[in-house]
Amino acid sequence: MSVVWIYMIANEVVNILDAIGVVLDVNGGFLGLIVLAGGNSVCDLVANFLVAKSGKAEMAVAACYGSPLLNMLIGVGLSATVATFRDDEPFELEYTTQLKVASATLLCGLVFATAFILISRCSCQWKAGRAFAIPLFVLYIAFLVSEIALEFS
C-alpha cells in the first residue's frame, strides 16, 4: 500500500511542477534538474553528512556514488525498458543543451573526484578536506548558473 502512496504523491509532485512550468513558461527539464533533483537529494545529503560525521567517511563517500548510480541504472533503465516494451519502439530522449551541460558537469565532477582520490591515496593517506570539497561546490554553483542562464536566455 505504501508503494501506491509514493506513486500517487510522486505523480502529484510532477504534475505540480508541470503546472508551475506552464504558468512561469519554464522548461520541465529545467525544473526537474533544479527543483526535483534538489529536493530528491536532500535526504541523501543529510544521511551522508551524518554518516561522515559519525566517523564513517568511507561509507558516506560510497553512498554518494552508490545512490545516484542506483537511481540512474535502475530508475532510468527500468523506466526505459517498460516504455519500450509497452510502445514497441525505442525510448526517445530529447538531448537538449541543458542535458549536455548536465552530462558534462557530471563527467567533470567524476573525473575530478577520481583523480583527487587517486592522488590523495599516494600523498595524504586517503584524507580529503577542503581541497576536495571546494572545487566540487564551485562546479555545482557553475552548473546551476549555467542552467539558469540557458533557461532564461
Side-chain angles (χ1 to χ4, degrees), residues 17-50:
L17 278 177
D18 252 352
I20 290 171
V22 168
V23 169
L24 298 178
D25 193 29
V26 176
N27 185 353
F30 172 76
L31 289 173
L33 273 173
I34 303 299
V35 178
L36 197 57
N40 189 34
S41 299
V42 169
C43 293
D44 286 340
L45 174 69
V46 171
N48 293 341
F49 177 77
L50 292 175

mmCIF file of all heavy atoms in Angstrom, residues 17-50:
data_model
loop_
_atom_site.group_PDB
_atom_site.id
_atom_site.type_symbol
_atom_site.label_atom_id
_atom_site.label_comp_id
_atom_site.label_asym_id
_atom_site.label_seq_id
_atom_site.Cartn_x
_atom_site.Cartn_y
_atom_site.Cartn_z
ATOM 1 N N LEU A 17 4.850 20.508 -10.634
ATOM 2 C CA LEU A 17 5.997 21.108 -11.325
ATOM 3 C C LEU A 17 5.658 21.420 -12.781
ATOM 4 O O LEU A 17 6.064 22.459 -13.302
ATOM 5 C CB LEU A 17 7.217 20.192 -11.259
ATOM 6 C CG LEU A 17 8.024 20.255 -9.975
ATOM 7 C CD1 LEU A 17 9.159 19.251 -10.013
ATOM 8 C CD2 LEU A 17 8.549 21.634 -9.710
ATOM 9 N N ASP A 18 4.912 20.527 -13.423
ATOM 10 C CA ASP A 18 4.465 20.788 -14.798
ATOM 11 C C ASP A 18 3.600 22.041 -14.857
ATOM 12 O O ASP A 18 3.769 22.880 -15.745
ATOM 13 C CB ASP A 18 3.662 19.602 -15.329
ATOM 14 C CG ASP A 18 4.417 18.810 -16.366
ATOM 15 O OD1 ASP A 18 5.496 19.258 -16.775
ATOM 16 O OD2 ASP A 18 3.907 17.750 -16.758
ATOM 17 N N ALA A 19 2.677 22.171 -13.905
ATOM 18 C CA ALA A 19 1.799 23.348 -13.875
ATOM 19 C C ALA A 19 2.600 24.624 -13.633
ATOM 20 O O ALA A 19 2.362 25.652 -14.277
ATOM 21 C CB ALA A 19 0.727 23.177 -12.795
ATOM 22 N N ILE A 20 3.552 24.563 -12.716
ATOM 23 C CA ILE A 20 4.412 25.724 -12.456
ATOM 24 C C ILE A 20 5.191 26.083 -13.720
ATOM 25 O O ILE A 20 5.338 27.262 -14.057
ATOM 26 C CB ILE A 20 5.365 25.447 -11.274
ATOM 27 C CG1 ILE A 20 4.562 25.389 -9.972
ATOM 28 C CG2 ILE A 20 6.458 26.502 -11.179
ATOM 29 C CD1 ILE A 20 5.360 24.902 -8.775
ATOM 30 N N GLY A 21 5.684 25.078 -14.430
ATOM 31 C CA GLY A 21 6.406 25.315 -15.679
ATOM 32 C C GLY A 21 5.551 25.993 -16.722
ATOM 33 O O GLY A 21 6.014 26.893 -17.425
ATOM 34 N N VAL A 22 4.285 25.584 -16.827
ATOM 35 C CA VAL A 22 3.379 26.202 -17.792
ATOM 36 C C VAL A 22 3.072 27.643 -17.397
ATOM 37 O O VAL A 22 3.118 28.557 -18.225
ATOM 38 C CB VAL A 22 2.070 25.377 -17.914
ATOM 39 C CG1 VAL A 22 1.007 26.143 -18.678
ATOM 40 C CG2 VAL A 22 2.357 24.042 -18.577
ATOM 41 N N VAL A 23 2.789 27.866 -16.108
ATOM 42 C CA VAL A 23 2.448 29.211 -15.636
ATOM 43 C C VAL A 23 3.629 30.169 -15.802
ATOM 44 O O VAL A 23 3.470 31.302 -16.257
ATOM 45 C CB VAL A 23 1.983 29.167 -14.165
ATOM 46 C CG1 VAL A 23 1.891 30.554 -13.574
ATOM 47 C CG2 VAL A 23 0.646 28.447 -14.052
ATOM 48 N N LEU A 24 4.828 29.711 -15.443
ATOM 49 C CA LEU A 24 6.012 30.579 -15.497
ATOM 50 C C LEU A 24 6.734 30.510 -16.837
ATOM 51 O O LEU A 24 7.753 31.185 -17.021
ATOM 52 C CB LEU A 24 6.985 30.211 -14.376
ATOM 53 C CG LEU A 24 6.475 30.378 -12.954
ATOM 54 C CD1 LEU A 24 7.529 29.924 -11.962
ATOM 55 C CD2 LEU A 24 6.071 31.818 -12.682
ATOM 56 N N ASP A 25 6.243 29.679 -17.752
ATOM 57 C CA ASP A 25 6.862 29.480 -19.060
ATOM 58 C C ASP A 25 8.321 29.014 -18.910
ATOM 59 O O ASP A 25 9.253 29.587 -19.476
ATOM 60 C CB ASP A 25 6.784 30.747 -19.917
ATOM 61 C CG ASP A 25 7.124 30.468 -21.368
ATOM 62 O OD1 ASP A 25 6.890 29.327 -21.827
ATOM 63 O OD2 ASP A 25 7.653 31.378 -22.040
ATOM 64 N N VAL A 26 8.483 27.970 -18.092
ATOM 65 C CA VAL A 26 9.798 27.389 -17.820
ATOM 66 C C VAL A 26 9.774 25.932 -18.273
ATOM 67 O O VAL A 26 8.783 25.220 -18.074
ATOM 68 C CB VAL A 26 10.131 27.486 -16.310
ATOM 69 C CG1 VAL A 26 11.437 26.814 -15.986
ATOM 70 C CG2 VAL A 26 10.160 28.930 -15.859
ATOM 71 N N ASN A 27 10.857 25.491 -18.883
ATOM 72 C CA ASN A 27 11.002 24.137 -19.378
ATOM 73 C C ASN A 27 10.892 23.115 -18.240
ATOM 74 O O ASN A 27 11.455 23.291 -17.168
ATOM 75 C CB ASN A 27 12.363 24.020 -20.076
ATOM 76 C CG ASN A 27 12.574 22.698 -20.745
ATOM 77 O OD1 ASN A 27 11.789 21.776 -20.623
ATOM 78 N ND2 ASN A 27 13.672 22.611 -21.470
ATOM 79 N N GLY A 28 10.184 22.014 -18.495
ATOM 80 C CA GLY A 28 10.039 20.959 -17.496
ATOM 81 C C GLY A 28 11.357 20.298 -17.149
ATOM 82 O O GLY A 28 11.585 19.897 -16.008
ATOM 83 N N GLY A 29 12.251 20.175 -18.129
ATOM 84 C CA GLY A 29 13.567 19.599 -17.869
ATOM 85 C C GLY A 29 14.378 20.444 -16.903
ATOM 86 O O GLY A 29 15.079 19.934 -16.036
ATOM 87 N N PHE A 30 14.250 21.760 -17.044
ATOM 88 C CA PHE A 30 14.937 22.683 -16.135
ATOM 89 C C PHE A 30 14.411 22.509 -14.716
ATOM 90 O O PHE A 30 15.188 22.430 -13.765
ATOM 91 C CB PHE A 30 14.739 24.121 -16.611
ATOM 92 C CG PHE A 30 15.232 25.160 -15.657
ATOM 93 C CD1 PHE A 30 16.575 25.418 -15.539
ATOM 94 C CD2 PHE A 30 14.346 25.881 -14.868
ATOM 95 C CE1 PHE A 30 17.046 26.382 -14.660
ATOM 96 C CE2 PHE A 30 14.794 26.839 -13.994
ATOM 97 C CZ PHE A 30 16.145 27.093 -13.886
ATOM 98 N N LEU A 31 13.104 22.447 -14.562
ATOM 99 C CA LEU A 31 12.518 22.265 -13.233
ATOM 100 C C LEU A 31 12.942 20.927 -12.627
ATOM 101 O O LEU A 31 13.206 20.834 -11.428
ATOM 102 C CB LEU A 31 10.997 22.356 -13.299
ATOM 103 C CG LEU A 31 10.434 23.745 -13.558
ATOM 104 C CD1 LEU A 31 8.939 23.683 -13.778
ATOM 105 C CD2 LEU A 31 10.761 24.677 -12.406
ATOM 106 N N GLY A 32 13.029 19.905 -13.474
ATOM 107 C CA GLY A 32 13.481 18.609 -12.984
ATOM 108 C C GLY A 32 14.924 18.646 -12.515
ATOM 109 O O GLY A 32 15.269 18.100 -11.464
ATOM 110 N N LEU A 33 15.785 19.319 -13.296
ATOM 111 C CA LEU A 33 17.204 19.416 -12.935
ATOM 112 C C LEU A 33 17.428 20.225 -11.669
ATOM 113 O O LEU A 33 18.269 19.887 -10.844
ATOM 114 C CB LEU A 33 17.993 20.080 -14.068
ATOM 115 C CG LEU A 33 18.509 19.194 -15.171
ATOM 116 C CD1 LEU A 33 19.103 20.037 -16.283
ATOM 117 C CD2 LEU A 33 19.519 18.213 -14.657
ATOM 118 N N ILE A 34 16.692 21.313 -11.531
ATOM 119 C CA ILE A 34 16.950 22.229 -10.422
ATOM 120 C C ILE A 34 16.096 21.893 -9.194
ATOM 121 O O ILE A 34 16.620 21.676 -8.105
ATOM 122 C CB ILE A 34 16.701 23.689 -10.865
ATOM 123 C CG1 ILE A 34 17.566 24.043 -12.077
ATOM 124 C CG2 ILE A 34 16.941 24.657 -9.723
ATOM 125 C CD1 ILE A 34 19.047 23.950 -11.870
ATOM 126 N N VAL A 35 14.803 21.829 -9.355
ATOM 127 C CA VAL A 35 13.901 21.687 -8.206
ATOM 128 C C VAL A 35 13.758 20.232 -7.773
ATOM 129 O O VAL A 35 14.006 19.891 -6.610
ATOM 130 C CB VAL A 35 12.516 22.287 -8.531
ATOM 131 C CG1 VAL A 35 11.563 22.107 -7.369
ATOM 132 C CG2 VAL A 35 12.641 23.748 -8.901
ATOM 133 N N LEU A 36 13.352 19.365 -8.683
ATOM 134 C CA LEU A 36 13.085 17.978 -8.330
ATOM 135 C C LEU A 36 14.347 17.246 -7.893
ATOM 136 O O LEU A 36 14.339 16.520 -6.896
ATOM 137 C CB LEU A 36 12.430 17.265 -9.509
ATOM 138 C CG LEU A 36 11.720 15.957 -9.224
ATOM 139 C CD1 LEU A 36 10.649 16.143 -8.168
ATOM 140 C CD2 LEU A 36 11.099 15.413 -10.489
ATOM 141 N N ALA A 37 15.446 17.452 -8.611
ATOM 142 C CA ALA A 37 16.702 16.787 -8.241
ATOM 143 C C ALA A 37 17.209 17.289 -6.890
ATOM 144 O O ALA A 37 17.696 16.503 -6.077
ATOM 145 C CB ALA A 37 17.753 17.013 -9.314
ATOM 146 N N GLY A 38 17.075 18.587 -6.663
ATOM 147 C CA GLY A 38 17.497 19.136 -5.371
ATOM 148 C C GLY A 38 16.687 18.578 -4.224
ATOM 149 O O GLY A 38 17.230 18.156 -3.197
ATOM 150 N N GLY A 39 15.380 18.547 -4.389
ATOM 151 C CA GLY A 39 14.515 18.002 -3.348
ATOM 152 C C GLY A 39 14.737 16.521 -3.131
ATOM 153 O O GLY A 39 14.681 16.019 -2.006
ATOM 154 N N ASN A 40 15.019 15.811 -4.199
ATOM 155 C CA ASN A 40 15.257 14.378 -4.117
ATOM 156 C C ASN A 40 16.574 14.063 -3.407
ATOM 157 O O ASN A 40 16.718 13.021 -2.778
ATOM 158 C CB ASN A 40 15.273 13.798 -5.533
ATOM 159 C CG ASN A 40 15.288 12.298 -5.549
ATOM 160 O OD1 ASN A 40 14.702 11.661 -4.694
ATOM 161 N ND2 ASN A 40 15.963 11.733 -6.520
ATOM 162 N N SER A 41 17.531 14.980 -3.472
ATOM 163 C CA SER A 41 18.864 14.725 -2.930
ATOM 164 C C SER A 41 19.050 15.189 -1.493
ATOM 165 O O SER A 41 20.069 14.866 -0.873
ATOM 166 C CB SER A 41 19.911 15.404 -3.815
ATOM 167 O OG SER A 41 19.848 14.877 -5.112
ATOM 168 N N VAL A 42 18.106 15.925 -0.957
ATOM 169 C CA VAL A 42 18.257 16.447 0.407
ATOM 170 C C VAL A 42 18.394 15.316 1.422
ATOM 171 O O VAL A 42 19.247 15.366 2.309
ATOM 172 C CB VAL A 42 17.090 17.389 0.773
ATOM 173 C CG1 VAL A 42 17.081 17.720 2.246
ATOM 174 C CG2 VAL A 42 17.170 18.660 -0.053
ATOM 175 N N CYS A 43 17.585 14.259 1.291
ATOM 176 C CA CYS A 43 17.668 13.125 2.225
ATOM 177 C C CYS A 43 19.038 12.459 2.164
ATOM 178 O O CYS A 43 19.615 12.119 3.201
ATOM 179 C CB CYS A 43 16.575 12.113 1.929
ATOM 180 S SG CYS A 43 14.926 12.723 2.248
ATOM 181 N N ASP A 44 19.549 12.270 0.937
ATOM 182 C CA ASP A 44 20.882 11.678 0.782
ATOM 183 C C ASP A 44 21.950 12.576 1.394
ATOM 184 O O ASP A 44 22.880 12.094 2.040
ATOM 185 C CB ASP A 44 21.208 11.449 -0.693
ATOM 186 C CG ASP A 44 20.447 10.283 -1.289
ATOM 187 O OD1 ASP A 44 19.965 9.431 -0.516
ATOM 188 O OD2 ASP A 44 20.332 10.228 -2.524
ATOM 189 N N LEU A 45 21.825 13.872 1.188
ATOM 190 C CA LEU A 45 22.785 14.820 1.738
ATOM 191 C C LEU A 45 22.840 14.724 3.259
ATOM 192 O O LEU A 45 23.910 14.606 3.854
ATOM 193 C CB LEU A 45 22.434 16.246 1.309
ATOM 194 C CG LEU A 45 23.273 17.358 1.924
ATOM 195 C CD1 LEU A 45 24.695 17.307 1.395
ATOM 196 C CD2 LEU A 45 22.647 18.703 1.646
ATOM 197 N N VAL A 46 21.685 14.745 3.890
ATOM 198 C CA VAL A 46 21.625 14.678 5.353
ATOM 199 C C VAL A 46 22.167 13.341 5.847
ATOM 200 O O VAL A 46 22.983 13.287 6.780
ATOM 201 C CB VAL A 46 20.181 14.913 5.842
ATOM 202 C CG1 VAL A 46 20.047 14.626 7.324
ATOM 203 C CG2 VAL A 46 19.739 16.330 5.528
ATOM 204 N N ALA A 47 21.736 12.248 5.221
ATOM 205 C CA ALA A 47 22.195 10.925 5.652
ATOM 206 C C ALA A 47 23.704 10.773 5.485
ATOM 207 O O ALA A 47 24.395 10.307 6.403
ATOM 208 C CB ALA A 47 21.466 9.842 4.862
ATOM 209 N N ASN A 48 24.235 11.182 4.337
ATOM 210 C CA ASN A 48 25.676 11.057 4.103
ATOM 211 C C ASN A 48 26.480 11.949 5.034
ATOM 212 O O ASN A 48 27.545 11.568 5.513
ATOM 213 C CB ASN A 48 26.010 11.368 2.643
ATOM 214 C CG ASN A 48 25.437 10.336 1.701
ATOM 215 O OD1 ASN A 48 25.097 9.229 2.101
ATOM 216 N ND2 ASN A 48 25.312 10.710 0.453
ATOM 217 N N PHE A 49 25.964 13.145 5.313
ATOM 218 C CA PHE A 49 26.633 14.047 6.246
ATOM 219 C C PHE A 49 26.698 13.423 7.641
ATOM 220 O O PHE A 49 27.741 13.443 8.291
ATOM 221 C CB PHE A 49 25.898 15.392 6.299
ATOM 222 C CG PHE A 49 26.475 16.365 7.277
ATOM 223 C CD1 PHE A 49 27.628 17.063 6.983
ATOM 224 C CD2 PHE A 49 25.872 16.565 8.512
ATOM 225 C CE1 PHE A 49 28.178 17.951 7.892
ATOM 226 C CE2 PHE A 49 26.409 17.443 9.422
ATOM 227 C CZ PHE A 49 27.560 18.147 9.108
ATOM 228 N N LEU A 50 25.588 12.855 8.093
ATOM 229 C CA LEU A 50 25.563 12.249 9.427
ATOM 230 C C LEU A 50 26.447 11.015 9.507
ATOM 231 O O LEU A 50 27.112 10.791 10.524
ATOM 232 C CB LEU A 50 24.121 11.909 9.822
ATOM 233 C CG LEU A 50 23.214 13.112 10.050
ATOM 234 C CD1 LEU A 50 21.785 12.671 10.306
ATOM 235 C CD2 LEU A 50 23.724 13.975 11.196
#
